[in-house]
Amino acid sequence: MANRRPTVADILALKGRRQLTMLRVETLEEAEAAERARVDMLSVPPALLTPEFRDAAPSAFTFPGLEYGDFITAEDYMRAAFKALRAGGDAVYCAASLATVRRMRDEGIPVCGHVGLIPSRATWTGGFKAVGKTALSALEIWRQTKALEDAGAFAAEIEVVPVDVARAISERTSMFMISMGAGTGCDAQYLFAQDVLGSNRGHYPRHAKVYRNFSAEYDRLQQERVAAFSEFVADVHAQNYPGPEHVVGIPRDELDRFLKELPGV
């Protein structure tokens, strides 16, 4: 996208025209790298939204995530949403109830909902696995999508849904559909930076693609830390640190004058 930070209207105008890119980033370094790589959209924890974040990623359309369970009432969500928007967010991710989505939309807050595999509600769909693999469950995702649209959400993440189901749904909704493991028939492709970078120490989901092996690099750096710290300890014990180049001297006459004023030892 252009260097100018897009608006919600700009994002919606791109629906069906081309695939956008989206990453979940959790550090300023990741945000800056995403900006330089021209990633279109970012998902971030609200705490990352600082002036330094916008210095790092001035043109990325950004969704701070209002994590399910961190807030209770619609008013709680709205307060958090307004705070996130004031801090530099462009829209909010929210997996709360339709009533909460509707309340936020009534106040003009751009909301991105969630359909398909919703991690906070995975127990209702059989755990962390694909959903929509039967006609009945696919229709339920369609109903979820239309309900979100009717509640006023402008976008929805659609997660781990068969590609043909996701495409059919995306073609029939005005919402901007963000695919996480739901194929190319949606409007954007979404991955976590830790999966892209290979820094995830746990399970990699099927839809993730690993482009680098940061875990190995972190392991190498940790070994270098241990080695450097061990050398420091050895230097101190052997009286090799500090050396003359690490300390400050005093002219001999000034030292003699100073010592003369001290009591004896």
Side-chain angles (χ1 to χ4, degrees), residues 34-108:
E35 174 78 15
R36 291 172 62 184
R38 298 189 177 183
V39 175
D40 298 301
M41 301 186 295
L42 300 178
S43 166
V44 301
L48 193 62
L49 284 176
T50 62
E52 291 77 15
F53 171 81
R54 275 307 175 193
D55 289 340
S59 67
F61 188 94
T62 299
F63 299 85
L66 306 183
E67 296 299 331
Y68 186 75
D70 286 352
F71 312 97
I72 306 300
T73 67
E75 286 73 19
D76 292 338
Y77 276 97
M78 286 198 295
R79 276 191 290 270
F82 279 125
K83 181 179 179 181
L85 295 179
R86 286 196 303 269
D90 298 295
V92 296
Y93 165 86
C94 178
S97 69
L98 294 172
T100 297
V101 172
R102 190 172 292 108
R103 283 289 305 278
M104 289 198 288
R105 180 62 182 88
D106 286 345
E107 296 299 331

Side-chain angles (χ1 to χ4, degrees), residues 6 8 14 21 30 44 71 74 83 92 145 157 160 162 174 178 191 212 217 223:
V8 169
L14 290 171
T21 54
E30 289 175 350
V44 301
F71 312 97
K83 181 179 179 181
V92 296
T145 303
E157 177 184 343
V160 195
S174 63
I178 301 168
L191 286 176
R212 293 293 185 274
E217 186 66 12
Q223 290 303 314

Side-chain angles (χ1 to χ4, degrees), residues 6-265:
T7 64
V8 169
D10 294 328
I11 296 294
L12 288 173
L14 290 171
K15 181 176 175 64
R17 292 176 56 188
R18 69 175 179 87
Q19 295 265 294
L20 300 190
T21 54
M22 181 169 171
L23 286 175
R24 168 72 174 188
V25 301
E26 298 191 349
T27 69
L28 291 176
E29 291 82 2
E30 289 175 350
E32 181 185 13
E35 174 78 15
R36 291 172 62 184
R38 298 189 177 183
V39 175
D40 298 301
M41 301 186 295
L42 300 178
S43 166
V44 301
L48 193 62
L49 284 176
T50 62
E52 291 77 15
F53 171 81
R54 275 307 175 193
D55 289 340
S59 67
F61 188 94
T62 299
F63 299 85
L66 306 183
E67 296 299 331
Y68 186 75
D70 286 352
F71 312 97
I72 306 300
T73 67
E75 286 73 19
D76 292 338
Y77 276 97
M78 286 198 295
R79 276 191 290 270
F82 279 125
K83 181 179 179 181
L85 295 179
R86 286 196 303 269
D90 298 295
V92 296
Y93 165 86
C94 178
S97 69
L98 294 172
T100 297
V101 172
R102 190 172 292 108
R103 283 289 305 278
M104 289 198 288
R105 180 62 182 88
D106 286 345
E107 296 299 331
I109 299 170
V111 178
C112 174
H114 201 148
V115 298
L117 171 60
I118 305 172
S120 60
R121 302 177 186 176
T123 189
W124 295 99
T125 53
F128 288 86
K129 61 182 183 180
V131 293
K133 295 177 71 174
T134 68
L136 189 63
S137 60
L139 283 169
E140 178 58 27
I141 298 168
W142 165 243
R143 284 191 286 268
Q144 291 173 353
T145 303
K146 289 303 291 179
L148 267 177
E149 182 181 310
D150 292 343
F154 86 97
E157 177 184 343
I158 183 166
E159 184 168 351
V160 195
V161 170
V163 59
D164 293 328
V165 172
R167 177 182 292 108
I169 289 173
S170 186
E171 289 172 348
R172 290 165 173 80
T173 178
S174 63
M175 288 194 300
F176 191 86
M177 299 301 288
I178 301 168
S179 166
M180 178 168 276
T184 58
C186 301
D187 304 304
Q189 297 300 318
Y190 178 25
L191 286 176
F192 278 40
Q194 65 176 359
D195 292 339
V196 171
L197 298 175
S199 59
N200 179 4
R201 297 287 187 174
H203 169 72
Y204 283 89
R206 177 177 178 174
H207 59 263
K209 183 172 181 178
V210 180
Y211 290 81
R212 293 293 185 274
N213 188 354
F214 272 40
S215 289
E217 186 66 12
Y218 291 152
D219 289 342
R220 185 190 69 79
L221 288 172
Q222 181 66 0
Q223 290 303 314
E224 288 296 309
R225 287 190 188 97
V226 173
F229 294 167
S230 298
E231 290 170 21
F232 165 64
V233 170
D235 268 357
V236 171
H237 290 169
Q239 297 188 343
N240 291 327
Y241 178 85
E245 69 274 23
H246 304 120
V247 296
V248 177
I250 182 174
R252 184 68 212 187
D253 59 333
E254 294 295 334
L255 177 61
D256 289 342
R257 187 178 305 167
F258 165 67
L259 293 175
K260 184 178 179 180
E261 296 297 324
L262 293 181
V265 293

